[in-house]
Amino acid sequence: LAPAPLRTAVDVETADEAGFLQDLQRALAAPPHSISPKYFYDAEGSRLFDRICELPEYYPTRTERAILSENAADIAREIGTGCDLVEFGAGSCSKVRLLLGDLRPRRYLPIDISSEHLEVSAAELEREHPGLLVLPVAGDYTSTFHLPPALAGAPRVGFFPGSTIGNFTPAEALQFLRGAARMLSGGGLLFGADLVKDPAVLHAAYNDAQGVTAAFNLNLLARANRELGADFDVDAFWHSAFYNAAAGRIEMHLVSRRHQRVALGGECYELDEGLALHTENSYKFTLDGLRRLAVQAGFRPQAVWTDPDRLFSVHWLRA
Ligand code: AVJ
């Protein structure tokens, strides 16, 4: 029998053009000149992000993968097999592969904003794991999305790797975790978080020698040209990434190299030389800080796994 065709469970237009246009116009028009990093992830941005994950300087992916694969059996013992596994921002679904053999979920629901990328990886995963039910959900997990009904007897477990939680402000992180705690009640959340460390290590991770992170950041403008008909001169901006120690976060900006005008959505924006468009925050955490945040959100923190150098952490929280 041929396998049933893979269908997207929910096809909401989330990385919607209207949202991108509005948010980019707002960012250009007035301070704080900031836009959500979710707009990085069109097909090209998702490809560039996958390349970032392979960079020698970008330790988070490699370290988290090592933590997950070395502790997969232990993680499965803590969580228990047969859950209904929901991944927030699944991308290429590569990390969940490290857990599937031990965790043996009944079903896997990867949610991602880049639906094209998601469909391809979900189909691949289903081929590799006959018997695993994979239902991709195209959507923005930071806003409202709809999941198929829960499976009777299968606790819902969230998987949120990659320190994507670091993209949220502390208030947004709390709000996200509160929502997750409600949605995962009776199950829990397994999530990865990057840790505070030597700023030089952080700086290198976001300023790689090959310039892939710069290309990833600048792709936001190229995407606006492609999708919104904007006329950004991409070469007239430079990639800036630095550690803001007071805030405990890496910040990425796109800085205007000169005074310039940009047309976008029927409006014209004048950008001064040095104007910095704030495209991403990537917060770094302490183990204690994370546990406090989890408790505040209504979770009961369980086990934590880290690497020997304490670069990265994986947390299991019961809801
Ligand atoms: C996907 C948010 C975890 O903050 O490290 C990588 C994104 N930005 N390089 C991160 C990112 C620049 C990444 N997260």
Side-chain angles (χ1 to χ4, degrees):
L1 267 176
L6 199 67
R7 282 179 306 108
T8 301
V10 182
D11 214 346
V12 275
E13 268 299 281
T14 44
D16 57 308
E17 278 166 27
F20 185 26
L21 175 61
Q22 259 190 18
D23 288 357
L24 188 54
Q25 284 188 315
R26 197 171 308 132
L28 292 175
H33 299 298
S34 65
I35 184 163
S36 166
K38 72 182 178 187
Y39 296 116
F40 282 143
Y41 301 93
D42 67 343
E44 175 63 9
S46 297
R47 270 191 292 275
L48 286 165
F49 181 67
D50 284 352
R51 280 183 62 200
I52 287 176
C53 293
E54 309 273 306
L55 292 170
E57 298 96 333
Y58 195 73
Y59 63 87
T61 311
R62 186 177 319 115
T63 310
E64 185 179 44
R65 292 183 65 90
I67 295 171
L68 292 173
S69 60
E70 275 159 37
N71 299 286
D74 199 27
I75 291 169
R77 242 189 326 275
E78 286 276 339
I79 297 177
T81 56
C83 70
D84 191 16
L85 191 63
V86 182
E87 181 169 354
F88 304 105
S92 46
C93 305
S94 67
K95 285 174 189 158
V96 78
R97 287 186 166 85
L98 305 170
L99 297 174
L100 289 177
D102 288 291
L103 193 56
R104 298 202 308 280
R106 292 246 320 262
R107 185 169 68 173
Y108 172 54
L109 306 169
I111 308 174
D112 203 274
I113 200 164
S114 178
S115 61
E116 180 197 331
H117 200 63
L118 179 68
E119 296 274 331
V120 173
S121 6
E124 243 169 56
L125 197 68
E126 212 166 53
R127 267 197 306 276
E128 290 167 20
H129 292 266
L132 175 70
L133 190 58
V134 181
L135 268 185
V137 179
D140 177 0
Y141 60 84
T142 62
S143 67
T144 42
F145 57 86
H146 301 280
L147 288 178
L151 290 175
R156 203 155 245 183
V157 169
F159 183 43
F160 194 38
S163 201
T164 310
I165 184 129
N167 273 170
F168 298 141
T169 64
E172 288 166 347
L174 185 59
Q175 193 193 343
F176 171 79
L177 288 174
R178 284 205 168 116
R182 264 195 309 277
M183 172 187 153
L184 303 168
S185 175
L189 179 67
L190 182 71
F191 81 103
D194 199 9
L195 299 175
V196 169
K197 61 181 59 63
D198 180 356
V201 175
L202 290 171
H203 187 270
Y206 293 85
N207 290 279
D208 65 278
Q210 293 171 60
V212 182
T213 308
F216 173 71
N217 196 8
L218 289 160
N219 176 59
L220 187 90
L221 305 179
R223 178 184 183 181
N225 289 349
R226 284 191 296 268
E227 278 180 28
L228 308 176
D231 68 350
F232 284 105
D233 175 1
V234 176
D235 294 333
F237 293 83
W238 62 277
H239 161 73
S240 163
F242 57 86
Y243 186 58
N244 176 341
R249 68 191 190 206
I250 285 279
E251 293 185 16
M252 295 213 310
H253 299 262
L254 290 164
V255 186
S256 177
R257 292 184 189 273
R258 53 174 168 80
H259 177 266
Q260 54 184 315
R261 287 189 184 79
V262 177
L264 173 66
E267 302 281 333
C268 181
Y269 299 88
E270 250 187 74
L271 310 186
D272 285 336
E273 178 181 343
L275 177 119
L277 188 60
H278 189 173
T279 50
E280 184 173 52
N281 286 321
S282 184
Y283 281 85
K284 307 304 165 188
F285 302 89
T286 63
L287 295 180
D288 279 351
L290 276 168
R291 288 171 82 88
R292 270 199 305 275
L293 186 66
V295 169
Q296 237 189 316
F299 284 104
R300 287 167 291 128
Q302 310 287 312
V304 181
W305 297 272
T306 61
D307 55 294
D309 299 324
R310 296 229 157 188
L311 294 174
F312 203 90
S313 58
V314 173
H315 301 247
W316 167 235
L317 314 172
R318 283 193 193 283

